[in-house]
Amino acid sequence: MATLQASNFLVSSSSKQIHAAILVPKLPSIRFSVPKVPSKKLSEELNTRDGFINTIPVEKNAIRTTLLQESSYVPNATIQIHAILEAVVDRVEMHSNIGEQRENWNTLLLNSINMITLTAATMAGVTATGGAGVSLLALRLGSTLLFSAATGMSVLMNKIQPSQLVEEQRNATRLFKQLQNQIQTLLAVGSPSKEDVKDAMEKVLALDKAYPLPLLGEMLEKFPERLEPAVWWPKNQSRKTHQEKHINGKVERNGWTEELEMEMREVVEVIKRKDSEDYERLGNKALKINKFLATSGPLLTGIAALGSAFMGSSNGPWAAIVAAVAGALASAVNTFEHGGQVGMVFEMYRNNAGFFKLVQESIESTLDESDVEKRENGELFEMKVALQLGRSLSQLRDLAKKSTYSRIEGSPIDEFASKLF
């Protein structure tokens, strides 16, 4: 009986263990979403993905490509103006680099000539103290050769005027940058026309003629008879047509009034009587000073070379003294001329006179156009003139009134048109 109970207990316990092993907790069900197959064809997706066009020639895609090409059509004038812009940017870089090179010429040549001249003058001074034999001959030959070399280098330097060449390249760089900005503004505002292309081309060629790069053949005359204003713009500048506007039922004459025309004429008179005349006077003075210095430098070194050639015991110390003094004076003259950059000052006056001539011609040519619709807008033109002269609109009008009163009273006006320079 005990044995039967024990077996029953084992069976019941084992059945419980088996039941515990079978009752496993249920796991949560997980659903997997399968992506849907795209409905459009693989060829269409290849044709439109990442900008790939015409990967697979499909008839619908061919129509789309034709429309894209028609919408991206670029006018020929825009392509041409972009080509001119690239040439202008290249000109800016060229003139800037050559300007730096010629500025180095001015510094190196001036230092070299002064060192050679002072060395030869020192040798002549040593010779004047006395000496005999080979030492005296060596000093005399050395100083003569050095003075002769300084004379030749001084003649060359005075001929090309490196400081004036540098100023030319500075102005050319500035004006080409100005033209570059004008073309970029034209492209940003609207599509250029054939007239714009022609106008830009003429401006580039006029600048090339006004500021040539080569030294031989086409170099600007450094010592003219008198100052002639620089001209860097084409003679016949194209005018854009501006249509008349209707405001409050009245026809506006493209921003022009009789008062504005009289104001512009008075501004021209002030520029003629004051600014242009003054800069031409100062430019001619600078030209005369530069001519005198350019002649004196080589002349003094030539005298010093002759004096050093005649140094010796038979001539006494006078030849050596002349050589030493002339060499010192030549060094001072060269320093004043090229260190003071007198040629650059003359070129600056020449360009300023050209600037006033440009303002004067632009006003006169605009007023000569009888059809106001073909002129530039009057308000815009007045603002441009005021900015060019460094004045506000009210100051420009006051200047015109002063000019009118001075002409009526017969007294000279005591004010210049420009406040910039």
Side-chain angles (χ1 to χ4, degrees), residues 253-282:
R253 299 175 64 244
N254 197 19
W256 287 94
T257 60
E258 293 183 0
E259 292 79 7
L260 179 57
E261 291 182 357
M262 291 299 298
E263 175 188 336
M264 291 294 106
R265 288 190 175 93
E266 293 298 332
V267 170
V268 170
E269 289 298 322
V270 176
I271 292 175
K272 286 181 179 178
R273 286 184 291 169
K274 296 293 292 185
D275 300 78
S276 297
E277 183 179 344
D278 189 64
Y279 274 97
E280 289 181 8
R281 178 180 58 83
L282 293 174

Side-chain angles (χ1 to χ4, degrees), residues 117-380:
T117 305
L118 293 176
T119 302
T122 303
M123 295 171 69
V126 171
T127 305
T129 60
V134 180
S135 299
L136 179 61
L137 178 61
L139 291 173
R140 183 175 65 182
L141 290 176
S143 62
T144 303
L145 290 175
L146 288 176
F147 276 129
S148 300
T151 303
M153 294 175 66
S154 182
V155 168
L156 176 63
M157 189 176 184
N158 292 338
K159 176 67 177 176
I160 64 175
Q161 291 289 314
S163 64
Q164 189 171 344
L165 292 175
V166 173
E167 184 65 17
E168 291 174 8
Q169 302 310 312
R170 288 196 195 104
N171 288 313
T173 303
R174 179 181 63 84
L175 292 171
F176 270 114
K177 284 183 178 180
Q178 187 181 49
L179 180 58
Q180 176 185 348
N181 293 333
Q182 291 175 359
I183 295 175
Q184 289 175 345
T185 303
L186 178 64
L187 290 171
V189 170
S191 59
S193 62
K194 292 183 178 179
E195 291 297 326
D196 295 324
V197 174
K198 182 181 177 182
D199 184 55
M201 193 71 180
E202 290 178 352
K203 287 181 179 179
V204 172
L205 296 178
L207 280 171
D208 287 339
K209 183 179 179 181
Y211 301 101
L213 289 172
L215 291 177
L216 300 176
E218 298 182 4
M219 184 178 67
L220 296 177
E221 178 61 38
K222 298 299 181 288
F223 301 101
E225 294 295 329
R226 58 185 300 276
L227 182 141
E228 293 292 338
V231 178
W232 60 83
W233 59 93
K235 291 296 181 183
N236 298 322
Q237 299 194 42
S238 61
R239 300 187 185 94
K240 293 184 179 180
T241 302
H242 298 267
Q243 300 295 331
E244 60 184 14
K245 300 177 182 178
H246 296 263
I247 299 178
N248 296 328
K250 297 181 180 180
V251 178
E252 184 186 1
R253 299 175 64 244
N254 197 19
W256 287 94
T257 60
E258 293 183 0
E259 292 79 7
L260 179 57
E261 291 182 357
M262 291 299 298
E263 175 188 336
M264 291 294 106
R265 288 190 175 93
E266 293 298 332
V267 170
V268 170
E269 289 298 322
V270 176
I271 292 175
K272 286 181 179 178
R273 286 184 291 169
K274 296 293 292 185
D275 300 78
S276 297
E277 183 179 344
D278 189 64
Y279 274 97
E280 289 181 8
R281 178 180 58 83
L282 293 174
N284 286 320
K285 283 187 177 181
L287 178 60
K288 291 179 180 178
I289 294 173
N290 199 26
K291 283 182 179 180
F292 173 75
L293 294 175
T295 306
S296 301
L299 180 62
L300 288 171
T301 51
I303 292 172
L306 290 175
S308 61
F310 289 103
M311 288 188 303
S313 57
S314 60
N315 298 319
W318 293 108
I321 292 174
V322 169
V325 172
L329 287 174
S331 179
V333 167
N334 288 330
T335 301
F336 182 75
E337 180 186 6
H338 299 290
Q341 299 188 350
V342 182
M344 181 273 294
V345 174
F346 168 72
E347 182 64 23
M348 181 184 67
Y349 286 140
R350 194 177 76 90
N351 281 278
N352 289 343
F355 167 76
F356 290 117
K357 184 178 180 180
L358 173 61
V359 176
Q360 176 184 334
E361 286 188 2
S362 64
I363 295 176
E364 290 177 345
S365 62
T366 302
L367 295 178
D368 288 341
E369 178 59 58
S370 58
D371 189 0
V372 293
E373 297 179 11
K374 295 182 179 179
R375 296 180 186 175
E376 190 174 6
N377 182 268
E379 297 176 356
L380 177 61

Side-chain angles (χ1 to χ4, degrees), residues 75-117:
N76 191 31
T78 304
I79 298 174
Q80 291 176 347
I81 206 74
H82 273 287
I84 295 175
L85 179 60
E86 292 178 1
V88 169
V89 172
D90 185 58
R91 295 286 205 289
V92 171
E93 189 69 21
M94 287 168 58
H95 284 281
S96 178
N97 293 339
I98 291 178
E100 293 179 1
Q101 178 196 54
R102 291 175 181 177
E103 188 172 6
N104 292 334
W105 285 2
N106 186 54
T107 304
L108 295 174
L109 284 173
L110 175 61
N111 293 337
S112 301
I113 291 173
N114 282 344
M115 288 177 64
I116 291 173
T117 305

